[in-house]
Short mmCIF file of all heavy atoms in Angstrom, two decimals:
data_model
loop_
_atom_site.label_atom_id
_atom_site.label_comp_id
_atom_site.label_asym_id
_atom_site.label_seq_id
_atom_site.Cartn_x
_atom_site.Cartn_y
_atom_site.Cartn_z
N PHE A 103 -11.55 19.54 12.44
CA PHE A 103 -12.72 20.37 12.18
C PHE A 103 -14.00 19.60 12.54
O PHE A 103 -14.89 20.13 13.19
CB PHE A 103 -12.75 20.82 10.72
CG PHE A 103 -13.85 21.78 10.39
CD1 PHE A 103 -13.78 23.10 10.80
CD2 PHE A 103 -14.97 21.35 9.69
CE1 PHE A 103 -14.83 23.99 10.54
CE2 PHE A 103 -15.99 22.23 9.41
CZ PHE A 103 -15.92 23.56 9.82
N ARG A 104 -14.05 18.34 12.11
CA ARG A 104 -15.21 17.50 12.43
C ARG A 104 -15.36 17.35 13.94
O ARG A 104 -16.46 17.43 14.48
CB ARG A 104 -15.07 16.12 11.78
CG ARG A 104 -16.33 15.25 11.99
CD ARG A 104 -16.21 13.93 11.31
NE ARG A 104 -15.32 13.10 12.12
CZ ARG A 104 -14.76 11.98 11.71
NH1 ARG A 104 -14.93 11.58 10.47
NH2 ARG A 104 -14.00 11.29 12.51
N GLY A 105 -14.25 17.17 14.65
CA GLY A 105 -14.30 17.08 16.11
C GLY A 105 -14.82 18.33 16.77
O GLY A 105 -15.62 18.29 17.71
N ALA A 106 -14.40 19.50 16.26
CA ALA A 106 -14.87 20.77 16.82
C ALA A 106 -16.36 20.92 16.59
O ALA A 106 -17.09 21.36 17.50
CB ALA A 106 -14.10 21.95 16.20
N ILE A 107 -16.85 20.56 15.42
CA ILE A 107 -18.28 20.64 15.11
C ILE A 107 -19.06 19.68 16.01
O ILE A 107 -20.11 20.03 16.57
CB ILE A 107 -18.54 20.34 13.61
CG1 ILE A 107 -17.89 21.41 12.74
CG2 ILE A 107 -20.04 20.22 13.34
CD1 ILE A 107 -18.38 22.82 12.97
N LEU A 108 -18.55 18.46 16.18
CA LEU A 108 -19.21 17.49 17.08
C LEU A 108 -19.28 18.02 18.49
O LEU A 108 -20.30 17.88 19.18
CB LEU A 108 -18.47 16.16 17.05
CG LEU A 108 -18.69 15.25 15.83
CD1 LEU A 108 -17.70 14.09 15.86
CD2 LEU A 108 -20.12 14.75 15.80
N LEU A 109 -18.21 18.60 18.95
CA LEU A 109 -18.15 19.17 20.30
C LEU A 109 -19.23 20.24 20.47
O LEU A 109 -20.00 20.22 21.44
CB LEU A 109 -16.77 19.73 20.57
CG LEU A 109 -16.52 20.30 21.95
CD1 LEU A 109 -16.63 19.22 23.03
CD2 LEU A 109 -15.15 20.95 22.00
N ILE A 110 -19.31 21.15 19.52
CA ILE A 110 -20.26 22.26 19.62
C ILE A 110 -21.71 21.74 19.48
O ILE A 110 -22.59 22.21 20.20
CB ILE A 110 -19.96 23.33 18.54
CG1 ILE A 110 -18.62 24.01 18.87
CG2 ILE A 110 -21.09 24.36 18.44
CD1 ILE A 110 -18.05 24.85 17.75
N ARG A 111 -21.94 20.78 18.64
CA ARG A 111 -23.29 20.25 18.44
C ARG A 111 -23.80 19.42 19.60
O ARG A 111 -25.00 19.36 19.84
CB ARG A 111 -23.35 19.41 17.16
CG ARG A 111 -23.38 20.19 15.91
CD ARG A 111 -23.60 19.26 14.73
NE ARG A 111 -23.66 20.01 13.50
CZ ARG A 111 -23.59 19.47 12.31
NH1 ARG A 111 -23.45 18.16 12.19
NH2 ARG A 111 -23.67 20.23 11.23
N THR A 112 -22.91 18.72 20.30
CA THR A 112 -23.36 17.72 21.25
C THR A 112 -23.20 18.11 22.72
O THR A 112 -23.79 17.47 23.58
CB THR A 112 -22.61 16.39 21.04
OG1 THR A 112 -21.20 16.59 21.25
CG2 THR A 112 -22.85 15.84 19.64
N GLU A 113 -22.44 19.15 23.04
CA GLU A 113 -22.18 19.49 24.44
C GLU A 113 -22.80 20.81 24.82
O GLU A 113 -22.46 21.86 24.29
CB GLU A 113 -20.65 19.51 24.70
CG GLU A 113 -19.98 18.18 24.51
CD GLU A 113 -20.53 17.09 25.41
OE1 GLU A 113 -20.73 17.35 26.62
OE2 GLU A 113 -20.77 15.98 24.91
N ALA A 114 -23.70 20.76 25.81
CA ALA A 114 -24.40 21.97 26.26
C ALA A 114 -23.45 23.03 26.80
O ALA A 114 -23.58 24.20 26.51
CB ALA A 114 -25.46 21.61 27.30
N SER A 115 -22.47 22.58 27.58
CA SER A 115 -21.54 23.56 28.20
C SER A 115 -20.73 24.30 27.15
O SER A 115 -20.49 25.50 27.28
CB SER A 115 -20.62 22.86 29.19
OG SER A 115 -19.87 21.86 28.56
N ILE A 116 -20.32 23.62 26.10
CA ILE A 116 -19.53 24.29 25.06
C ILE A 116 -20.42 25.24 24.26
O ILE A 116 -19.96 26.29 23.81
CB ILE A 116 -18.79 23.28 24.15
CG1 ILE A 116 -17.58 23.94 23.47
CG2 ILE A 116 -19.67 22.71 23.09
CD1 ILE A 116 -16.37 24.00 24.31
N LYS A 117 -21.69 24.91 24.10
CA LYS A 117 -22.62 25.82 23.42
C LYS A 117 -22.72 27.15 24.18
O LYS A 117 -22.70 28.22 23.57
CB LYS A 117 -24.00 25.19 23.28
CG LYS A 117 -24.08 24.08 22.27
CD LYS A 117 -25.45 23.45 22.24
CE LYS A 117 -25.47 22.26 21.32
NZ LYS A 117 -26.76 21.57 21.32
#
Side-chain angles (χ1 to χ4, degrees):
F103 185 75
R104 185 177 76 195
I107 296 300
L108 284 170
L109 182 64
I110 293 167
R111 283 187 179 166
T112 62
E113 296 301 315
S115 59
I116 202 83
K117 288 177 185 177

